Coordinates of all heavy atoms in Angstrom, one line a residue:
M1 N -41.7 -73.5 37.6 CA -41.7 -72.4 38.6 C -40.4 -71.6 38.5 O -39.3 -72.1 38.4 CB -41.8 -73.0 40.0 CG -41.6 -71.9 41.1 SD -42.0 -72.4 42.8 CE -40.8 -73.6 43.1
V2 N -40.5 -70.2 38.5 CA -39.4 -69.4 38.4 C -38.9 -69.1 39.8 O -39.6 -68.7 40.7 CB -39.7 -68.0 37.7 CG1 -38.6 -67.1 37.7 CG2 -40.2 -68.3 36.3
V3 N -37.6 -69.4 40.0 CA -37.0 -69.1 41.4 C -36.0 -68.0 41.3 O -35.2 -68.0 40.4 CB -36.2 -70.4 41.8 CG1 -35.6 -70.2 43.2 CG2 -37.2 -71.6 41.9
L4 N -36.2 -67.0 42.2 CA -35.3 -65.9 42.2 C -33.9 -66.3 42.7 O -33.8 -67.1 43.6 CB -35.8 -64.8 43.2 CG -37.0 -64.0 42.6 CD1 -37.6 -63.1 43.7 CD2 -36.7 -63.3 41.4
I5 N -32.9 -65.7 42.1 CA -31.5 -65.9 42.6 C -30.9 -64.6 42.9 O -31.5 -63.5 42.6 CB -30.6 -66.6 41.5 CG1 -30.7 -65.8 40.2 CG2 -31.1 -68.0 41.3 CD1 -29.8 -66.3 39.1
M6 N -29.8 -64.5 43.7 CA -29.2 -63.4 44.2 C -28.9 -62.3 43.1 O -28.5 -62.8 41.9 CB -27.9 -63.7 44.9 CG -27.4 -62.6 45.8 SD -28.6 -62.4 47.1 CE -27.7 -61.1 48.0
N7 N -29.2 -61.1 43.3 CA -28.9 -60.0 42.3 C -29.7 -60.1 41.1 O -29.2 -59.8 40.0 CB -27.4 -59.9 42.1 CG -26.6 -59.5 43.3 OD1 -27.1 -58.8 44.1 ND2 -25.4 -60.1 43.4
T8 N -30.9 -60.5 41.2 CA -31.7 -60.6 39.9 C -33.2 -60.3 40.3 O -33.5 -60.2 41.5 CB -31.6 -62.0 39.3 OG1 -32.3 -62.0 38.0 CG2 -32.3 -63.0 40.2
T9 N -34.0 -60.0 39.3 CA -35.4 -59.8 39.5 C -36.2 -61.0 39.0 O -35.5 -62.0 38.5 CB -35.8 -58.6 38.6 OG1 -35.6 -58.8 37.3 CG2 -35.1 -57.3 39.1
L10 N -37.4 -60.9 39.0 CA -38.2 -62.0 38.5 C -38.0 -62.2 37.0 O -37.9 -63.3 36.5 CB -39.7 -61.7 38.7 CG -40.7 -62.8 38.6 CD1 -40.3 -64.0 39.4 CD2 -42.1 -62.3 39.0
L11 N -37.8 -61.1 36.3 CA -37.4 -61.1 34.9 C -36.1 -61.9 34.7 O -36.0 -62.7 33.8 CB -37.3 -59.8 34.3 CG -36.9 -59.7 32.8 CD1 -37.8 -60.5 31.9 CD2 -36.8 -58.3 32.3
G12 N -35.1 -61.5 35.5 CA -33.8 -62.2 35.4 C -33.9 -63.7 35.6 O -33.3 -64.5 34.9
A13 N -34.7 -64.1 36.6 CA -34.9 -65.5 36.9 C -35.6 -66.2 35.8 O -35.3 -67.3 35.4 CB -35.7 -65.6 38.2
Y14 N -36.6 -65.5 35.2 CA -37.3 -66.1 34.0 C -36.3 -66.3 32.9 O -36.4 -67.4 32.3 CB -38.4 -65.1 33.6 CG -39.2 -65.6 32.4 CD1 -40.3 -66.4 32.6 CD2 -38.8 -65.2 31.1 CE1 -41.0 -66.8 31.5 CE2 -39.5 -65.6 30.0 CZ -40.6 -66.4 30.2 OH -41.3 -66.9 29.1
L15 N -35.5 -65.3 32.6 CA -34.6 -65.5 31.4 C -33.6 -66.7 31.7 O -33.3 -67.4 30.8 CB -33.8 -64.2 31.2 CG -34.6 -63.0 30.8 CD1 -33.7 -61.7 30.8 CD2 -35.3 -63.2 29.5
S16 N -33.1 -66.8 32.9 CA -32.2 -67.9 33.3 C -32.9 -69.2 33.2 O -32.3 -70.2 32.6 CB -31.7 -67.7 34.7 OG -30.8 -66.6 34.8
E17 N -34.1 -69.3 33.7 CA -34.8 -70.6 33.7 C -35.1 -71.1 32.3 O -35.0 -72.3 32.0 CB -36.1 -70.5 34.5 CG -36.9 -71.7 34.5 CD -37.7 -71.9 35.7 OE1 -37.4 -71.4 36.8 OE2 -38.7 -72.7 35.6
Y18 N -35.4 -70.2 31.4 CA -35.8 -70.5 30.1 C -34.6 -70.4 29.1 O -34.8 -70.7 27.9 CB -37.0 -69.7 29.6 CG -38.3 -70.2 30.3 CD1 -38.7 -69.5 31.4 CD2 -38.9 -71.3 29.9 CE1 -39.8 -69.9 32.1 CE2 -40.1 -71.8 30.6 CZ -40.5 -71.1 31.7 OH -41.6 -71.5 32.4
G19 N -33.5 -70.1 29.6 CA -32.3 -70.0 28.7 C -32.3 -69.0 27.6 O -31.8 -69.2 26.6
L20 N -33.0 -67.9 27.9 CA -33.1 -66.8 26.9 C -32.0 -65.8 27.1 O -31.7 -65.4 28.2 CB -34.5 -66.2 27.0 CG -35.7 -67.0 26.7 CD1 -37.0 -66.3 27.1 CD2 -35.8 -67.4 25.3
T21 N -31.5 -65.3 25.9 CA -30.6 -64.2 26.0 C -31.4 -62.9 26.1 O -32.5 -62.9 25.8 CB -29.7 -64.2 24.7 OG1 -30.5 -63.9 23.6 CG2 -28.9 -65.5 24.6
H22 N -30.7 -61.9 26.4 CA -31.3 -60.6 26.5 C -31.8 -60.2 25.1 O -32.9 -59.6 25.0 CB -30.4 -59.5 27.1 CG -30.1 -59.8 28.5 ND1 -29.2 -59.0 29.2 CD2 -30.5 -60.7 29.4 CE1 -29.1 -59.4 30.5 NE2 -29.9 -60.5 30.6
A23 N -31.1 -60.4 24.1 CA -31.4 -60.1 22.7 C -32.7 -60.9 22.3 O -33.6 -60.3 21.7 CB -30.3 -60.4 21.8
E24 N -32.7 -62.2 22.5 CA -33.9 -63.0 22.2 C -35.1 -62.5 22.9 O -36.2 -62.4 22.2 CB -33.6 -64.5 22.6 CG -32.6 -65.1 21.8 CD -32.2 -66.5 22.3 OE1 -32.4 -66.7 23.6 OE2 -31.7 -67.3 21.5
F25 N -35.0 -62.2 24.2 CA -36.2 -61.7 24.9 C -36.6 -60.3 24.4 O -37.8 -60.1 24.3 CB -36.0 -61.7 26.4 CG -37.2 -61.3 27.1 CD1 -38.2 -62.2 27.3 CD2 -37.4 -60.0 27.6 CE1 -39.4 -61.9 28.0 CE2 -38.5 -59.7 28.3 CZ -39.5 -60.6 28.5
A26 N -35.7 -59.5 24.1 CA -36.0 -58.1 23.6 C -36.8 -58.2 22.3 O -37.8 -57.5 22.1 CB -34.8 -57.3 23.4
V27 N -36.5 -59.1 21.4 CA -37.2 -59.3 20.2 C -38.6 -59.8 20.5 O -39.6 -59.3 20.0 CB -36.5 -60.2 19.2 CG1 -37.3 -60.6 18.0 CG2 -35.2 -59.5 18.7
A28 N -38.7 -60.8 21.4 CA -40.0 -61.4 21.7 C -40.9 -60.5 22.3 O -42.2 -60.5 22.1 CB -39.8 -62.6 22.6
A29 N -40.4 -59.6 23.2 CA -41.3 -58.6 23.9 C -41.4 -57.3 23.2 O -42.1 -56.4 23.6 CB -40.6 -58.4 25.3
D30 N -40.6 -57.1 22.2 CA -40.6 -55.8 21.4 C -40.2 -54.7 22.3 O -40.9 -53.7 22.4 CB -41.9 -55.6 20.7 CG -41.8 -54.5 19.7 OD1 -40.7 -54.2 19.2 OD2 -42.8 -53.8 19.4
V31 N -39.1 -54.9 23.1 CA -38.6 -53.8 23.9 C -37.1 -53.6 23.6 O -36.5 -54.4 23.0 CB -38.7 -54.2 25.4 CG1 -40.2 -54.4 25.8 CG2 -38.0 -55.5 25.8
P32 N -36.5 -52.5 24.1 CA -35.1 -52.2 23.8 C -34.2 -53.2 24.4 O -34.2 -53.4 25.6 CB -34.9 -50.8 24.3 CG -36.2 -50.2 24.6 CD -37.1 -51.4 24.8
R33 N -33.3 -53.8 23.6 CA -32.4 -54.8 24.1 C -31.5 -54.3 25.2 O -31.2 -54.9 26.2 CB -31.5 -55.4 23.0 CG -30.5 -56.4 23.4 CD -29.5 -56.8 22.4 NE -28.8 -55.6 21.9 CZ -27.7 -55.1 22.6 NH1 -27.3 -55.6 23.7 NH2 -27.1 -54.0 22.1
V34 N -31.1 -53.0 25.1 CA -30.1 -52.5 26.0 C -30.7 -52.4 27.4 O -30.0 -52.3 28.4 CB -29.5 -51.1 25.6 CG1 -28.8 -51.2 24.3 CG2 -30.7 -50.1 25.4
M35 N -32.1 -52.3 27.5 CA -32.7 -52.1 28.8 C -32.9 -53.4 29.6 O -33.0 -53.5 30.8 CB -34.1 -51.4 28.6 CG -34.0 -50.0 28.1 SD -32.9 -49.0 29.1 CE -33.7 -48.9 30.6
I36 N -32.9 -54.5 28.9 CA -33.1 -55.8 29.5 C -32.2 -56.1 30.6 O -32.6 -56.6 31.7 CB -33.1 -57.0 28.4 CG1 -34.1 -56.8 27.3 CG2 -33.3 -58.4 29.1 CD1 -35.5 -56.9 27.8
S37 N -30.9 -55.9 30.5 CA -29.9 -56.1 31.5 C -30.2 -55.2 32.7 O -30.2 -55.8 33.9 CB -28.5 -55.7 31.0 OG -27.6 -56.0 32.0
F38 N -30.6 -54.0 32.5 CA -30.9 -53.2 33.7 C -32.1 -53.7 34.4 O -32.1 -53.7 35.7 CB -31.2 -51.7 33.2 CG -30.0 -51.0 32.8 CD1 -29.9 -50.5 31.5 CD2 -28.9 -50.7 33.6 CE1 -28.8 -49.8 31.0 CE2 -27.8 -50.0 33.2 CZ -27.8 -49.6 31.9
W39 N -33.1 -54.1 33.7 CA -34.4 -54.6 34.3 C -34.1 -55.9 35.0 O -34.6 -56.2 36.1 CB -35.5 -54.7 33.3 CG -35.9 -53.5 32.6 CD1 -35.8 -52.2 33.1 CD2 -36.5 -53.3 31.3 NE1 -36.3 -51.3 32.2 CE2 -36.8 -51.9 31.2 CE3 -36.9 -54.2 30.3 CZ2 -37.3 -51.4 30.0 CZ3 -37.5 -53.7 29.2 CH2 -37.7 -52.3 29.0
A40 N -33.4 -56.8 34.3 CA -33.1 -58.2 34.8 C -32.4 -58.1 36.2 O -32.5 -59.0 37.0 CB -32.4 -59.0 33.8
R41 N -31.4 -57.1 36.3 CA -30.6 -57.0 37.5 C -31.2 -56.1 38.5 O -30.7 -56.0 39.6 CB -29.2 -56.6 37.1 CG -28.4 -57.6 36.4 CD -27.0 -57.1 36.1 NE -27.1 -56.2 35.0 CZ -26.3 -55.1 34.9 NH1 -25.4 -54.9 35.8 NH2 -26.4 -54.2 34.0
G42 N -32.4 -55.5 38.2 CA -33.0 -54.6 39.2 C -32.4 -53.2 39.3 O -32.7 -52.5 40.2
H43 N -31.6 -52.8 38.3 CA -31.0 -51.5 38.4 C -32.0 -50.4 37.9 O -31.8 -49.3 38.3 CB -29.8 -51.4 37.5 CG -28.7 -52.2 38.1 ND1 -27.9 -51.8 39.2 CD2 -28.2 -53.5 37.8 CE1 -27.0 -52.8 39.5 NE2 -27.2 -53.8 38.6
R44 N -33.0 -50.8 37.2 CA -34.0 -49.9 36.7 C -35.3 -50.7 36.6 O -35.3 -51.9 36.5 CB -33.7 -49.3 35.3 CG -32.5 -48.3 35.4 CD -32.5 -47.6 34.0 NE -31.3 -46.8 34.1 CZ -30.9 -46.1 33.0 NH1 -31.5 -46.1 31.9 NH2 -29.8 -45.3 33.1
K45 N -36.4 -49.9 36.7 CA -37.7 -50.5 36.5 C -38.3 -50.0 35.1 O -38.1 -48.9 34.8 CB -38.7 -50.1 37.6 CG -38.3 -50.6 38.9 CD -39.4 -50.3 40.0 CE -39.5 -48.8 40.2 NZ -40.5 -48.5 41.3
P46 N -39.0 -51.0 34.4 CA -39.5 -50.6 33.2 C -40.8 -49.7 33.4 O -41.4 -49.8 34.4 CB -40.0 -51.9 32.5 CG -40.2 -52.8 33.7 CD -39.2 -52.4 34.7
G47 N -41.1 -48.8 32.4 CA -42.3 -48.0 32.5 C -43.5 -49.0 32.3 O -43.4 -50.2 32.0
R48 N -44.7 -48.4 32.5 CA -45.9 -49.2 32.4 C -46.1 -50.0 31.1 O -46.4 -51.2 31.1 CB -47.1 -48.3 32.6 CG -48.4 -49.0 32.7 CD -49.6 -48.0 33.0 NE -50.8 -48.7 33.0 CZ -51.5 -48.9 31.9 NH1 -51.1 -48.5 30.7 NH2 -52.7 -49.6 31.9
D49 N -45.8 -49.3 30.0 CA -46.0 -50.0 28.7 C -45.0 -51.1 28.5 O -45.3 -52.2 28.0 CB -45.8 -49.0 27.5 CG -47.0 -48.0 27.5 OD1 -48.0 -48.3 28.0 OD2 -46.8 -46.9 26.9
Y50 N -43.8 -50.9 28.9 CA -42.8 -52.0 28.8 C -43.1 -53.1 29.8 O -42.9 -54.3 29.5 CB -41.3 -51.5 29.1 CG -40.8 -50.7 27.9 CD1 -40.0 -49.5 28.2 CD2 -41.1 -51.0 26.6 CE1 -39.5 -48.8 27.1 CE2 -40.6 -50.2 25.5 CZ -39.8 -49.2 25.8 OH -39.3 -48.4 24.8
A51 N -43.5 -52.8 31.0 CA -43.9 -53.8 32.0 C -45.0 -54.7 31.5 O -45.0 -55.9 31.6 CB -44.3 -53.1 33.3
L52 N -46.0 -54.1 30.8 CA -47.1 -54.9 30.2 C -46.5 -55.7 29.0 O -47.0 -56.9 28.9 CB -48.2 -53.9 29.7 CG -49.0 -53.2 30.8 CD1 -49.9 -52.1 30.2 CD2 -49.8 -54.3 31.6
A53 N -45.6 -55.2 28.3 CA -45.0 -56.0 27.2 C -44.3 -57.2 27.7 O -44.3 -58.3 27.2 CB -44.1 -55.1 26.3
I54 N -43.6 -57.0 28.8 CA -42.8 -58.1 29.5 C -43.8 -59.1 30.0 O -43.6 -60.3 29.8 CB -42.0 -57.6 30.7 CG1 -40.8 -56.7 30.1 CG2 -41.5 -58.7 31.6 CD1 -40.1 -55.9 31.1
E55 N -44.9 -58.7 30.6 CA -45.9 -59.6 31.1 C -46.5 -60.4 30.0 O -46.6 -61.7 30.1 CB -47.1 -58.8 31.8 CG -48.2 -59.7 32.3 CD -49.2 -58.9 33.1 OE1 -49.7 -57.9 32.6 OE2 -49.6 -59.4 34.1
R56 N -46.8 -59.8 28.8 CA -47.3 -60.5 27.7 C -46.3 -61.5 27.1 O -46.6 -62.7 26.8 CB -47.7 -59.6 26.6 CG -49.1 -58.9 26.8 CD -49.5 -58.1 25.6 NE -48.6 -57.1 25.1 CZ -48.6 -55.9 25.6 NH1 -49.4 -55.5 26.5 NH2 -47.7 -55.0 25.1
A57 N -45.1 -61.1 27.0 CA -44.0 -62.0 26.5 C -43.7 -63.2 27.4 O -43.3 -64.3 26.9 CB -42.7 -61.2 26.2
T58 N -43.9 -63.0 28.7 CA -43.7 -64.1 29.6 C -44.9 -64.9 30.0 O -44.9 -65.8 30.8 CB -43.0 -63.6 30.9 OG1 -43.9 -62.7 31.5 CG2 -41.7 -62.9 30.7
R59 N -46.0 -64.5 29.2 CA -47.3 -65.2 29.5 C -47.7 -65.1 31.0 O -48.2 -66.1 31.5 CB -47.3 -66.6 29.0 CG -47.1 -66.7 27.5 CD -47.3 -68.1 27.0 NE -47.1 -68.1 25.6 CZ -46.1 -68.8 25.0 NH1 -45.3 -69.5 25.6 NH2 -46.0 -68.7 23.6
G60 N -47.5 -64.0 31.6 CA -47.9 -63.7 33.0 C -46.9 -64.2 34.0 O -47.1 -63.9 35.2
A61 N -45.8 -64.8 33.6 CA -44.8 -65.3 34.6 C -44.1 -64.1 35.3 O -43.7 -64.2 36.5 CB -43.8 -66.2 34.0
V62 N -44.0 -62.9 34.6 CA -43.5 -61.7 35.2 C -44.6 -60.7 35.1 O -44.7 -59.9 34.1 CB -42.2 -61.3 34.5 CG1 -41.6 -60.0 35.1 CG2 -41.1 -62.4 34.4
P63 N -45.5 -60.6 36.1 CA -46.6 -59.7 36.0 C -46.2 -58.2 36.0 O -45.1 -57.9 36.7 CB -47.4 -60.0 37.2 CG -46.8 -61.1 38.0 CD -45.5 -61.4 37.3
A64 N -46.9 -57.4 35.3 CA -46.6 -56.0 35.3 C -46.5 -55.3 36.7 O -45.7 -54.5 37.0 CB -47.6 -55.2 34.4
E65 N -47.4 -55.8 37.6 CA -47.4 -55.2 38.9 C -46.2 -55.7 39.7 O -46.0 -55.1 40.8 CB -48.7 -55.5 39.6 CG -49.0 -57.0 39.9 CD -49.8 -57.7 38.8 OE1 -50.0 -57.1 37.7 OE2 -50.1 -58.9 39.0
S66 N -45.4 -56.6 39.3 CA -44.2 -57.1 40.0 C -43.2 -56.0 40.0 O -42.2 -56.0 40.8 CB -43.6 -58.3 39.4 OG -43.0 -58.1 38.2
W67 N -43.3 -55.0 39.2 CA -42.4 -53.8 39.1 C -42.7 -52.7 40.1 O -42.0 -51.8 40.2 CB -42.2 -53.3 37.7 CG -41.8 -54.4 36.8 CD1 -42.6 -55.1 35.9 CD2 -40.4 -54.8 36.6 NE1 -41.8 -56.0 35.2 CE2 -40.5 -55.8 35.6 CE3 -39.2 -54.5 37.1 CZ2 -39.3 -56.5 35.2 CZ3 -38.1 -55.2 36.7 CH2 -38.1 -56.2 35.8
S68 N -43.9 -52.8 40.8 CA -44.2 -51.8 41.7 C -43.3 -51.7 42.9 O -42.6 -52.7 43.2 CB -45.7 -52.0 42.2 OG -45.7 -53.1 43.1
E69 N -43.2 -50.6 43.5 CA -42.3 -50.5 44.7 C -42.6 -51.5 45.8 O -41.6 -52.1 46.3 CB -42.4 -49.1 45.3 CG -41.2 -48.7 46.1 CD -39.9 -48.7 45.3 OE1 -39.9 -48.3 44.1 OE2 -38.9 -49.2 45.9
H70 N -43.8 -51.8 46.1 CA -44.2 -52.8 47.1 C -43.7 -54.1 46.7 O -43.1 -54.9 47.5 CB -45.7 -52.8 47.3 CG -46.1 -53.8 48.2 ND1 -45.8 -53.8 49.6 CD2 -46.8 -55.0 48.0 CE1 -46.3 -54.8 50.2 NE2 -46.9 -55.6 49.3
A71 N -43.9 -54.5 45.4 CA -43.4 -55.8 44.9 C -41.9 -55.9 44.9 O -41.4 -57.0 45.3 CB -44.0 -56.1 43.5
Q72 N -41.2 -54.8 44.6 CA -39.8 -54.9 44.6 C -39.2 -55.1 46.0 O -38.3 -55.9 46.2 CB -39.2 -53.5 44.1 CG -39.4 -53.3 42.6 CD -38.6 -54.3 41.8 OE1 -37.5 -54.6 42.1 NE2 -39.3 -54.9 40.8
D73 N -39.9 -54.5 47.1 CA -39.5 -54.8 48.4 C -39.7 -56.2 48.8 O -38.9 -56.8 49.5 CB -40.2 -53.9 49.4 CG -39.8 -52.4 49.3 OD1 -38.7 -52.1 48.8 OD2 -40.6 -51.5 49.7
S74 N -40.8 -56.8 48.4 CA -41.1 -58.2 48.7 C -40.0 -59.1 48.0 O -39.6 -60.1 48.6 CB -42.5 -58.6 48.2 OG -43.4 -57.9 48.9
N75 N -39.7 -58.8 46.8 CA -38.7 -59.6 46.0 C -37.3 -59.5 46.7 O -36.6 -60.5 46.8 CB -38.6 -59.1 44.6 CG -39.7 -59.5 43.7 OD1 -40.5 -60.4 44.1 ND2 -39.9 -58.8 42.6
R76 N -36.9 -58.3 47.2 CA -35.7 -58.2 47.9 C -35.7 -59.1 49.2 O -34.7 -59.8 49.5 CB -35.4 -56.8 48.3 CG -35.0 -55.9 47.2 CD -34.6 -54.5 47.6 NE -34.7 -53.6 46.5 CZ -35.6 -52.7 46.3 NH1 -36.5 -52.5 47.2 NH2 -35.6 -52.0 45.2
R77 N -36.8 -59.1 50.0 CA -36.9 -59.9 51.2 C -36.8 -61.4 50.8 O -36.1 -62.1 51.5 CB -38.1 -59.6 51.9 CG -38.1 -58.3 52.7 CD -39.3 -58.2 53.7 NE -40.6 -58.1 53.0 CZ -41.1 -57.0 52.6 NH1 -40.5 -55.8 52.7 NH2 -42.3 -57.0 52.0
L78 N -37.5 -61.8 49.7 CA -37.5 -63.2 49.3 C -36.0 -63.6 48.9 O -35.6 -64.6 49.3 CB -38.4 -63.4 48.1 CG -38.5 -64.8 47.6 CD1 -39.0 -65.8 48.6 CD2 -39.4 -64.8 46.4
R79 N -35.3 -62.7 48.2 CA -33.9 -63.1 47.8 C -33.0 -63.3 49.1 O -32.2 -64.2 49.1 CB -33.3 -62.0 46.9 CG -33.8 -62.1 45.5 CD -32.9 -61.2 44.6 NE -32.9 -59.8 44.9 CZ -33.7 -58.9 44.4 NH1 -34.6 -59.2 43.5 NH2 -33.6 -57.6 44.8
K80 N -33.2 -62.4 50.1 CA -32.4 -62.5 51.3 C -32.7 -63.9 52.0 O -31.9 -64.5 52.5 CB -32.7 -61.4 52.3 CG -32.1 -60.1 51.8 CD -32.5 -58.9 52.7 CE -32.0 -57.6 52.2 NZ -32.4 -56.5 53.0
V81 N -34.0 -64.2 52.1 CA -34.4 -65.5 52.7 C -33.8 -66.7 51.9 O -33.2 -67.5 52.5 CB -35.9 -65.6 52.8 CG1 -36.3 -67.1 53.1 CG2 -36.5 -64.6 53.7
K82 N -33.9 -66.7 50.6 CA -33.3 -67.8 49.8 C -31.8 -67.9 49.9 O -31.2 -68.9 50.0 CB -33.7 -67.6 48.3 CG -35.2 -67.9 48.1 CD -35.5 -68.0 46.6 CE -36.9 -68.3 46.4 NZ -37.3 -69.6 46.8
C83 N -31.2 -66.7 50.1 CA -29.7 -66.7 50.3 C -29.3 -67.3 51.6 O -28.4 -68.1 51.6 CB -29.2 -65.2 50.2 SG -27.4 -65.1 50.2
R84 N -30.1 -67.0 52.6 CA -29.8 -67.6 54.0 C -30.1 -69.1 53.9 O -29.3 -69.9 54.5 CB -30.7 -67.0 55.0 CG -30.3 -65.6 55.4 CD -31.1 -65.2 56.6 NE -31.3 -63.7 56.4 CZ -32.5 -63.2 56.4 NH1 -33.6 -63.9 56.6 NH2 -32.7 -61.9 56.2
V85 N -31.1 -69.6 53.2 CA -31.4 -71.0 53.1 C -30.2 -71.7 52.4 O -29.8 -72.7 52.8 CB -32.7 -71.2 52.3 CG1 -32.9 -72.7 52.0 CG2 -33.8 -70.7 53.2
R86 N -29.7 -71.1 51.3 CA -28.6 -71.7 50.6 C -27.3 -71.8 51.5 O -26.6 -72.8 51.5 CB -28.2 -70.9 49.4 CG -29.2 -71.1 48.3 CD -28.7 -70.5 47.0 NE -29.7 -70.6 46.0 CZ -30.2 -69.7 45.2 NH1 -29.7 -68.5 45.4 NH2 -31.2 -69.8 44.4
K87 N -27.1 -70.8 52.3 CA -25.9 -70.8 53.2 C -26.1 -71.9 54.2 O -25.1 -72.6 54.6 CB -25.8 -69.5 53.9 CG -25.2 -68.4 53.0 CD -25.1 -67.1 53.7 CE -24.6 -66.0 52.7 NZ -24.6 -64.7 53.3
V88 N -27.3 -72.1 54.8 CA -27.5 -73.2 55.7 C -27.4 -74.5 55.1 O -26.7 -75.4 55.7 CB -29.0 -73.0 56.3 CG1 -29.3 -74.2 57.2 CG2 -29.1 -71.8 57.2
K89 N -27.8 -74.7 53.9 CA -27.7 -76.0 53.2 C -26.2 -76.3 52.9 O -25.8 -77.5 53.0 CB -28.5 -76.0 51.9 CG -30.0 -76.2 52.2 CD -30.7 -76.2 50.8 CE -32.2 -76.4 51.1 NZ -33.0 -76.4 49.8
A90 N -25.5 -75.3 52.6 CA -24.1 -75.5 52.2 C -23.2 -75.9 53.5 O -22.2 -76.5 53.3 CB -23.5 -74.2 51.6
A91 N -23.7 -75.4 54.6 CA -22.9 -75.6 55.9 C -22.9 -77.0 56.4 O -23.1 -78.0 56.0 CB -23.4 -74.7 57.0

């Protein structure tokens, strides 16, 4: 299961969980390496073709529709909840 961490997207969490570098994933997904960092941190969203390439490379773990505006809002709320849970556990 891929777990979101603070300041990351589902793609960023996937890369962390599987120990993939941005360069390795870029080759596997056939996407520009320089964009992986932007996408993984949520600074930019991939276009439809790149989103589909990411979905294929992750075997559906990062669905193309996860990049939609509605999904991005849901991911942000989920990160906030997980952050609060970690703070409670640490206290």
Side-chain angles (χ1 to χ4, degrees):
M1 174 171 64
V2 176
V3 178
L4 288 174
I5 55 175
M6 197 63 178
N7 295 326
T8 192
T9 62
L10 196 52
L11 175 60
Y14 178 89
L15 296 174
S16 292
E17 178 148 335
Y18 290 96
L20 295 171
T21 66
H22 294 176
E24 291 169 335
F25 184 76
V27 170
D30 193 26
V31 298
R33 182 192 55 78
V34 297
M35 297 306 295
I36 301 295
S37 180
F38 290 117
W39 297 335
R41 290 181 287 143
H43 291 282
R44 292 190 183 174
K45 295 187 295 185
R48 183 176 178 275
D49 291 340
Y50 287 142
L52 290 170
I54 291 167
E55 181 177 44
R56 282 190 301 274
T58 62
R59 297 186 179 120
V62 182
E65 64 268 7
S66 70
W67 299 99
S68 72
E69 199 58 42
H70 176 71
Q72 291 293 317
D73 289 341
S74 296
N75 288 342
R76 283 187 201 107
R77 285 193 293 274
L78 180 60
R79 283 196 300 266
K80 287 179 185 176
V81 168
K82 288 192 180 291
C83 186
R84 282 190 223 124
V85 169
R86 284 190 186 127
K87 287 179 182 175
V88 170
K89 285 183 180 178

